[in-house]
Amino acid sequence: MFELNAKIRKFQETFTCNFHKEFSLGTLAGKELKGVPLSTLEDMLDQVISQTSMMEEEYLAEQNIQKQTQKELIDCERNVSLTEVILKTTQALQDLTRQTSELEQMCTALGEELQRRCICPNCHLDNVEVLGGIL
């Protein structure tokens, strides 16, 4: 967009300078305006209008591209944000899964230890029923 504005300014300066060089009073001193045909001036004016229209169309096209790029940027930022949330949630879920697994292993180890302690070292009978009465 800045490039387009610079081109427009440069064009305007060039046209203004050329116009003043060719048609200023200082250079027309001793010359008559009758020497410049009206059709030439009309052609120059048509050319300026045509170039201005082309520049305006290019500007509008660039503006549409900029708007589309802005929308794409917003979508990408939204996707990055959602990805970060999903990543954090996944990590939290993995932490909970690991904790659950550790707790299951601990419960299994405690259950095995309880069963081992409930077996009589002499007769090797299972005394778990007695433990139920105590608890």
Side-chain angles (χ1 to χ4, degrees):
M1 191 161 82
F2 293 116
E3 292 175 15
L4 182 61
N5 285 337
K7 288 179 182 178
I8 291 172
R9 270 189 243 105
K10 185 176 179 182
F11 171 74
Q12 288 173 340
E13 289 171 4
T14 304
F15 177 73
T16 304
C17 289
N18 289 340
F19 184 79
H20 285 298
K21 283 180 186 175
E22 292 179 17
F23 301 106
S24 67
L25 292 176
T27 58
L28 289 177
K31 295 182 182 178
E32 295 182 16
L33 287 176
K34 294 179 186 176
V36 180
L38 184 59
S39 62
T40 303
L41 293 175
E42 288 175 346
D43 290 344
M44 287 177 61
L45 184 59
D46 288 342
Q47 184 181 8
V48 168
I49 291 171
S50 173
Q51 287 179 346
T52 304
S53 297
M54 287 174 36
M55 292 289 220
E56 187 175 355
E57 288 175 9
E58 288 178 16
Y59 172 76
L60 292 174
E62 289 290 329
Q63 194 175 33
N64 288 336
I65 290 170
Q66 192 267 344
K67 286 179 183 178
Q68 184 64 30
T69 305
Q70 187 70 29
K71 287 178 183 178
E72 290 175 6
L73 174 65
I74 290 170
D75 289 344
C76 288
E77 288 174 346
R78 187 179 302 128
N79 287 342
V80 167
S81 176
L82 289 173
T83 303
E84 288 175 352
V85 169
I86 290 171
L87 180 63
K88 288 178 183 178
T89 305
T90 302
Q91 288 175 346
L93 182 62
Q94 287 174 348
D95 290 344
L96 288 173
T97 303
R98 187 174 9 87
Q99 288 176 358
T100 303
S101 176
E102 291 171 358
L103 289 173
E104 286 176 351
Q105 289 175 355
M106 192 182 304
C107 286
T108 302
L110 288 173
E112 290 173 358
E113 177 66 22
L114 183 61
Q115 283 182 347
R116 188 183 59 77
R117 288 187 179 189
C118 288
I119 294 177
C120 178
N122 295 330
C123 64
H124 300 289
L125 288 176
D126 190 6
N127 295 322
V128 175
E129 298 86 24
V130 175
L131 183 61
I134 294 173
L135 293 176

